[in-house]
Amino acid sequence: MILGIGADLCSIERMERTLTRWGPRFRDRVFTPREQARAARRPHEAATYAKRWAAKEACSKALGTGLRMGIAWRDMAVSNLETGQPVMHLTGWAARRLAAMTPPGHQALVHVTLTDDHPWAQAFVVIEARPLGEPFTPSGAAPARG
């Protein structure tokens, strides 16, 4: 079952201006060291940050809170699997909120997708509750039987 859906759009140019103006102060407040390391390795650092910013905004919306009620930017972090697939990690208040909204007997899964096409970066987050013990397949398709 779907527990929450969030979407956000971020201007890469605005992110670039913010990074120029506030530098490490902004990066340290909003992004984890892992997210910062990823952005530093990318040729278009501002686009990488803009996608992660949009993902954090989308995640806060999917959690049903927006950026209020104690949620912190760094409570939501995006990393990538070896395949490049983005993954959302929740800690602190965001993790507690996710646990509170997950029905008993279910496991919460946070799905995230990111894209950018200058001058925009976009993210969608879907929070799914899956019954415990139900096999997980990355595509969401039912596992083969037999």
Side-chain angles (χ1 to χ4, degrees):
M1 87 179 72
I2 302 299
L3 298 179
I5 299 172
D8 195 66
L9 187 66
C10 180
S11 165
I12 295 169
E13 293 169 353
R14 182 175 179 209
M15 179 60 64
E16 199 163 35
R17 289 191 302 271
T18 300
L19 291 166
T20 299
R21 181 173 181 189
W22 299 104
R25 181 177 171 196
F26 171 74
R27 281 191 293 270
D28 291 344
R29 193 180 114 234
V30 176
F31 301 100
T32 65
R34 187 175 185 177
E35 289 173 310
Q36 291 181 46
R38 171 131 180 131
R41 292 189 308 267
R42 307 294 293 174
H44 303 289
E45 185 180 44
T48 300
Y49 280 124
K51 286 186 283 191
R52 278 147 178 75
W53 172 279
K56 292 167 188 266
E57 285 273 7
C59 186
S60 70
K61 293 170 186 175
L63 288 168
T65 64
L67 286 164
R68 58 181 173 82
M69 297 175 57
I71 200 167
W73 288 105
R74 289 172 49 138
D75 284 351
M76 301 165 288
V78 178
S79 68
N80 295 81
L81 300 177
E82 287 184 20
T83 61
Q85 177 183 347
V87 179
M88 179 68 70
H89 305 276
L90 302 182
T91 59
W93 194 93
R96 291 189 297 277
R97 170 67 180 154
L98 180 63
M101 64 190 284
T102 304
H106 288 74
Q107 171 186 352
L109 299 169
V110 180
H111 306 278
V112 60
T113 186
L114 310 172
T115 191
D116 67 284
D117 188 7
H118 192 84
W120 299 107
Q122 186 174 38
F124 290 96
V125 171
V126 175
I127 300 175
E128 172 190 10
R130 194 172 290 221
L132 291 173
E134 182 178 300
F136 173 73
T137 56
S139 67
R145 299 193 189 266

